[in-house]
């Protein structure tokens, strides 16, 4: 044992260096508590605008997207007003996505690492954990939705499977449901495990495939209905509204569209980091959001409208539509397509992101792949089929989701565009040195932590409290819950900007500062 004399200062142990990687840049000074081969800046950003376009196709072309678009017609406004709300909502999403994409694309790092310049190198675990939990919940929901499509195929082609769907169940899910859920769980894990390049290739063809089948389904249903002339494209229900009366409802529909995409918006930095240029990312966002979403919404309306003359009732769930078709090949093709569509959105929106989040918590012990498997296991533990079963649940989930991630969105945008003037010292996001720019106070930026509390509490209250108040007969402010994302994002932006102005923690970098190494000099 080595003796230590009185007054001698024992030097802290030197951390082992991070292993280098072919895909990322890992410098000698990067602390292993903050860096691994998955979190470090990319050496090469290779995704084109089409890859970003395909990413949004996989996000939009899902059972959840189909049902959400269809459910807007139940709000009572005319069909043309629903389309205006859809277009306005998706254009807002496009503008917001362009904002959230920039810091990650410039720095070449995923969302949780980007948050270090705002929250501090330790404080960034706060948004990482919040986002990881949300993604796990959605991962379970999307896997469950896809498993229902697989159930239909089993029941149609293997009639002996019927007792598994009706006679046996565990934790609220039938035996057949468990089999389908397990098959998809394993399939998604296999795609994920092979890495981001395989995921990119998967989404490159998954989105177009869904489009092709949606067109085939629309043509089939229209032909069965007797042509477009036999179809009433007005899906609106309830009494007709006057123009002024319909304005608040249209605004609500716009808010629901933005809320539906609030998760992918916040997660987008995990994918924009791979974009060749910021210009390529914006181009992919344009084709993938307003253009793609409008065409998909039109197909949704045509398919849903045609179910009335064909099946005698309005069906806004594509899985149920496919189930009613009496042609085995159509059921097989439609069922498998919606399985692929839902798997696509699940991987890009709810598998990749929590993988980065959980890896960020402990980079030395949790790799990106390990983080993804933690998310996959968590998706089973929460038994999503027990709380996700109707349109009201969809909207309630969207509101609660928005209330949790809205403040994170607002704080990041304020930090990057207002406080730091779009300049980041990337190397400082990977050091535990108290002299680092993003160490702040013991690794935490107190302004960011306080801002998320100040913005998060009222946002959650707006999402959760209105419904119980209405049931108790106190006051009807249920409309407020539809705007929880906007409230959270706006308050997060405002509080963080004000706190940084009053008691600054972030020191803006000058344009010629040599530590600015985030690619900001690249011209798009």
């Amino acid at each position: 044992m080595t003796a230590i004399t009185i007054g001698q200062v024992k030097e802290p142990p030197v951390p082992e260096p991070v292993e280098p990687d072919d895909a990322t840049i890992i410098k000698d000074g990067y602390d292993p508590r903050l860096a691994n081969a998955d979190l470090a800046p990319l050496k090469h950003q290779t995704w084109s605008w089409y890859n970003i376009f395909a990413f949004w196709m996989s996000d939009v072309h899902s059972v959840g997207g189909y049902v959400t678009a269809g459910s807007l017609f139940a709000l009572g406004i005319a069909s043309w007003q629903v389309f205006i709300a859809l277009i306005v909502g998706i254009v807002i999403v496009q503008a917001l996505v362009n904002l959230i994409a920039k810091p990650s694309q410039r720095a070449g790092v995923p969302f949780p690492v980007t948050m270090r310049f705002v929250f501090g190198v330790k404080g960034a675990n706060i948004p990482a954990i919040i986002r990881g939990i949300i993604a796990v919940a959605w991962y379970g929901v999307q896997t469950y939705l896809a498993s229902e499509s697989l159930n239909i195929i089993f029941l149609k082609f293997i009639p002996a499977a019927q007792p598994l769907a009706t006679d046996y169940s565990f934790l609220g899910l039938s035996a057949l449901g468990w089999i389908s859920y397990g098959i998809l769980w394993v399939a998604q894990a296999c795609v994920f495990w092979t890495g981001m390049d395989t995921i990119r290739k998967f989404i490159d063809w998954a989105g177009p495939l869904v489009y092709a089948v949606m067109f085939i389904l629309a043509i089939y249903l229209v032909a069965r209905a007797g042509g477009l002339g036999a179809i009433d494209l007005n899906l609106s229900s309830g009494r007709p509204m006057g123009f002024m009366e319909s304005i608040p409802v249209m605004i609500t529909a716009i808010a629901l569209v933005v809320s539906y995409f609030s998760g992918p918006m916040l997660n987008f930095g995990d994918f924009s980091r791979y974009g060749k240029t910021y210009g390529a990312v914006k181009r992919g966002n344009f084709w993938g959001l307003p253009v793609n979403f409008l065409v998909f919404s039109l197909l949704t309306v045509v398919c849903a409208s045609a179910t009335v003359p064909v099946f005698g009732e309005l069906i806004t769930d594509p899985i149920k539509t496919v189930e009613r078709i009496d042609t085995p090949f159509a059921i097989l093709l439609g069922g498998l397509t919606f399985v692929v569509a839902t798997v696509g959105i699940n991987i890009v929106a709810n598998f990749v992101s929590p993988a980065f989040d959980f890896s960020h918590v402990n980079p030395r012990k949790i790799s990106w792949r390990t983080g993804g498997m933690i998310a996959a296991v968590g998706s089973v533990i929460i038994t999503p089929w027990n709380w996700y079963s109707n349109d009201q649940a969809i909207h309630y989930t969207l509101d609660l989701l928005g209330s949790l991630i809205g403040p994170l969105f607002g704080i990041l945008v304020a930090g990057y565009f207002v406080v730091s003037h779009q300049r980041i010292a990337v190397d400082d996001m990977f050091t535990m040195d108290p002299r680092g720019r993003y160490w702040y106070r013991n690794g935490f930026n107190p302004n960011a932590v306080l801002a998320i509390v100040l913005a998060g509490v009222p946002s959650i209250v707006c999402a959760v409290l209105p419904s119980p108040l209405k049931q108790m007969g106190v006051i009807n402010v249920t409309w407020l819950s539809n705007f929880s994302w906007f409230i959270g994002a706006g308050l997060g932006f405002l509080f963080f900007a004000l706190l940084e102005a009053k008691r600054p923690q972030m020191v803006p970098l000058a344009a010629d500062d040599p530590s600015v190494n985030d690619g900001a000099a690249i011209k798009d």
Side-chain angles (χ1 to χ4, degrees), residues 203-228:
I203 63 178
D204 277 353
W205 65 263
L209 173 65
V210 177
Y211 249 142
V213 174
M214 282 289 290
F215 272 107
I216 293 172
L217 180 62
I219 293 170
Y220 171 81
L221 291 173
V222 169
R224 282 278 306 269
L228 284 173

Side-chain angles (χ1 to χ4, degrees), residues 350-413:
N350 305 313
F351 212 153
V352 171
S353 296
F356 282 124
D357 291 329
F358 295 136
S359 177
H360 185 271
V361 173
N362 192 337
R364 284 185 293 189
K365 295 183 179 179
I366 303 176
S367 67
W368 178 72
R369 287 180 171 83
T370 304
M373 297 315 298
I374 292 173
V377 172
S379 72
V380 180
I381 294 174
I382 64 173
T383 62
W385 48 85
N386 286 324
W387 54 272
Y388 192 88
S389 59
N390 55 57
D391 289 346
Q392 291 300 318
I394 293 174
H395 288 170
Y396 182 80
T397 303
L398 291 176
D399 296 337
L400 185 58
L401 172 66
S403 71
L404 293 171
I405 67 178
L408 297 179
F409 186 98
I411 291 170
L412 177 56
V413 170

